[in-house]
Amino acid sequence: MNVKKSVAMLLAAACLCSFTSCADAKTSDEWKAAAVMDEYHPNKTITGNFDSRLAAKCVNGTFVGKQIGDVTVWKGIPFAEQPVGDLRFRAPKAPAPSNRVYEAYHFMKSGMQSIDPDEKASVYEQGEECLGLNIWKNTQGTDKKPVLVFIHGGGWMSGGTADSLYNGYNFANDNPDILVVTVDYRLGMLGQIDLSSFPDGAEFKGSEALCMLDLVQSLKWIKENISAFGGDPDNVTISGESAGGGAVSMLCVMPEARGLFTKAIPMSGSVTQFNDVSNARDQIAALRKEFGANTVKDLQRIPFPKLKKWWGLNVGDIYHHPLKGNSVIEADPLDAWVRGDSSDITIMQGHTANEFRYYITVFGGLERVYDAVCKGKVLNALENGDAEYAAAYREYNDALRTAGRSEADISHAYMDDYAFNAGMLYQAEMHAKNGGKGFFYTFEKGYDGDYSYMGAAHAIDCFYMFGSFDGNCALGTDEEVELSRKFQRMIANFCKTGDPSTDGLTWPEYKNDTKYRMMIGMNMRAERDPESERNAAVMKMMSIKDSPFLGEGNEKTLIEGAAKLDPEAVAQLKAILMERQK
């Protein structure tokens, strides 16, 4: 794993390093054995005989998978018409009915993204034909299985289910009662773009958050077809990490997703990831200039390779998160959590213990980013006489100093909360306040090997959720494999019953008065309101209107501030990207 030199890439990426999962999860050696990443091949129509035991008849065709031990795997099943030609930039369209029989042997293409050797999905075949899903079913266990749907991360601009980190085999193999599904969606400018300034822009309603509409369509397809694979359409849990966690958090309060799932597991991703449309205007201006586009139809006629190359060269300069304040996402999605729109969903959410340490080497350490960006925003707020924020900020610092934290640790903690933790905590508080059933966790087990200095940084929980060990970031020792199995059992029990407790380990609900959270690591335990003073200060800072702690464009501000620290590093990254795109 190489830590990137561009904050623009780093802050957005959910798990830029990609790892593998193996074919039989029985011993630690087998769990950490590297799986060869699939080569891309289009799934073909089957006109001859096929094994009916591996076939699932769906609305848009019969799909034939492959058997690996006790697990049947279907890959690359389309859940929508592919968004090419006139469908580019349009809301997803349900797939046409079909009586044909198709292979489901290979992943669909990855969504459009910058090529990065450390991001396996990016070196897989890319294309607009990316709206597909994959299913792992253990032939043992119950006949009508609870369904676990996972949405990959990648900052809304990278990643994909072809990455072997997200191989669902180990989970399905060790938890035979759960049906595992992974989903792809449109990325970057093909997944979120404001077209309202074009004369024909009104035809493309929802373009600001097409990625979210893709995910809603995938859940509609699952609701209608998953029983053909042995899944229970009335017992669906959605999960996701980083950008995927943000998507899950948003789906919990989206009217379009109502009734499509009953439980959710947002991991290190809240609705604070969504941003105002004003941050995307530069993108449209750059597109117009580059391609001479006067209408959306002009944009639709740009060949995919040219669009992809332009995106790869400019990804660090344009905004790429889904946009709010439109027909898909309301002006402030946090308001929906405050109203209690999530209260009918049972939610298990959380984050890692040291989220932002994933980016610790960027520009010489977190302290420099903190000094350039967060500290500047804080001091500006204090100088402008924001007494309420000043009091909360001092309370935050005092709480950490009292706990024995060094000044460096305080800046690390601030960045953890600023970028990830605060939104998760706020959602948990609002969900409980409105009577919703929920559970909260902190994942404490850290990275291994050359990356042990990062601690329990961003995305480490994905290794343990999928049982994907690479022998470096996650070694796959016997103890770590056992931790993975425990974490998986918690998730499996949550999918089954809405309670992640396991034999011998009770996980209390998160309530406003007790604030229990499960500390997931080698010393698994439930703690009542750990770091209560810090969390109370976070909630105060979150609740202040226009708070500099978490305001409009927080990620963009971080990117701009860090780029000023080391413009040469940004220029170097651009040069590398240009070379890769040639």
Side-chain angles (χ1 to χ4, degrees), residues 212-535:
M212 292 304 307
L213 296 179
D214 291 343
L215 294 170
V216 170
Q217 173 56 33
S218 75
L219 294 174
K220 289 180 178 178
W221 188 94
I222 289 169
K223 184 78 169 178
E224 188 172 10
N225 295 281
I226 203 66
S227 58
F229 301 86
D232 183 353
D234 297 320
N235 191 359
V236 174
T237 300
I238 61 171
S239 62
E241 189 271 339
S242 198
V248 169
S249 294
M250 191 67 238
L251 289 165
C252 286
V253 294
M254 278 183 71
E256 296 89 341
R258 190 63 53 201
L260 299 178
F261 61 96
T262 59
K263 296 179 288 295
I265 309 175
M267 304 163 64
S268 303
S270 68
V271 294
T272 60
Q273 292 183 359
F274 299 87
N275 213 267
D276 188 79
V277 69
S278 62
N279 287 310
R281 287 172 183 156
D282 291 348
Q283 181 184 67
I284 294 300
L287 269 174
R288 285 180 181 273
K289 181 178 179 180
E290 177 70 19
F291 296 106
N294 296 313
T295 66
V296 180
K297 298 286 197 238
D298 292 338
L299 293 180
Q300 288 180 321
R301 285 191 283 266
I302 300 170
F304 177 78
K306 287 187 176 181
L307 201 62
K308 176 182 177 295
K309 184 176 182 179
W310 180 84
W311 167 258
L313 298 178
N314 293 278
V315 64
D317 294 330
I318 54 180
Y319 208 76
H320 44 77
H321 280 201
L323 304 170
K324 60 187 180 182
N326 51 68
S327 61
V328 181
I329 301 174
E330 64 181 275
D332 188 351
L334 279 175
D335 288 345
W337 285 81
V338 173
R339 291 193 304 264
D341 293 2
S342 68
S343 60
D344 61 334
I345 307 296
T346 303
I347 299 175
M348 169 185 158
Q349 59 188 317
H351 53 75
T352 67
N354 312 112
E355 290 278 3
F356 214 82
R357 289 194 184 187
Y358 190 82
Y359 316 108
I360 199 170
T361 59
V362 179
F363 302 111
L366 288 179
E367 292 86 349
R368 295 185 65 198
V369 179
Y370 172 78
D371 287 342
V373 185
C374 294
K375 191 173 181 181
K377 292 180 73 178
V378 169
L379 293 177
N380 182 62
L382 301 183
E383 289 171 2
N384 289 335
D386 190 335
E388 187 180 6
Y389 182 80
Y393 177 69
R394 293 190 186 99
E395 184 178 323
Y396 179 88
N397 280 269
D398 288 346
L400 290 170
R401 289 192 184 102
T402 301
R405 296 286 193 101
S406 68
E407 292 303 309
D409 282 341
I410 291 173
S411 69
H412 292 172
Y414 189 93
M415 296 299 287
D416 291 342
D417 293 332
Y418 181 90
F420 296 101
N421 303 356
M424 306 305 297
L425 180 62
Y426 193 83
Q427 287 181 176
E429 284 285 317
M430 294 302 104
H431 189 66
K433 182 178 180 180
N434 288 288
K437 181 180 179 181
F439 303 87
F440 203 83
Y441 73 85
T442 296
F443 198 94
E444 294 185 311
K445 174 64 180 73
Y447 279 87
D448 285 325
D450 294 342
Y451 308 104
S452 58
Y453 66 90
M454 295 196 303
H458 192 59
I460 185 65
D461 43 357
C462 285
F463 297 100
Y464 290 86
M465 177 177 184
F466 286 95
S468 301
F469 297 105
D470 72 317
N472 192 3
C473 283
L475 296 177
T477 63
D478 289 343
E479 293 79 9
E480 290 174 335
V481 169
E482 183 56 31
L483 174 59
S484 177
R485 287 178 172 147
K486 288 179 179 178
F487 190 36
Q488 287 184 354
R489 282 196 291 273
M490 289 174 167
I491 294 170
N493 286 350
F494 182 77
C495 292
K496 294 176 188 177
T497 67
D499 186 342
S501 299
T502 59
D503 291 342
L505 188 61
T506 300
W507 187 334
E509 289 184 38
Y510 186 94
K511 295 184 179 294
N512 298 116
D513 57 345
T514 55
K515 306 181 192 300
Y516 274 105
R517 68 172 71 189
M518 183 62 67
M519 312 303 287
I520 298 175
M522 294 309 184
N523 178 25
M524 199 88 73
R525 66 205 183 277
E527 287 193 6
R528 178 169 176 164
D529 200 10
E531 295 192 282
S532 56
E533 293 83 3
R534 171 188 177 181
N535 294 332

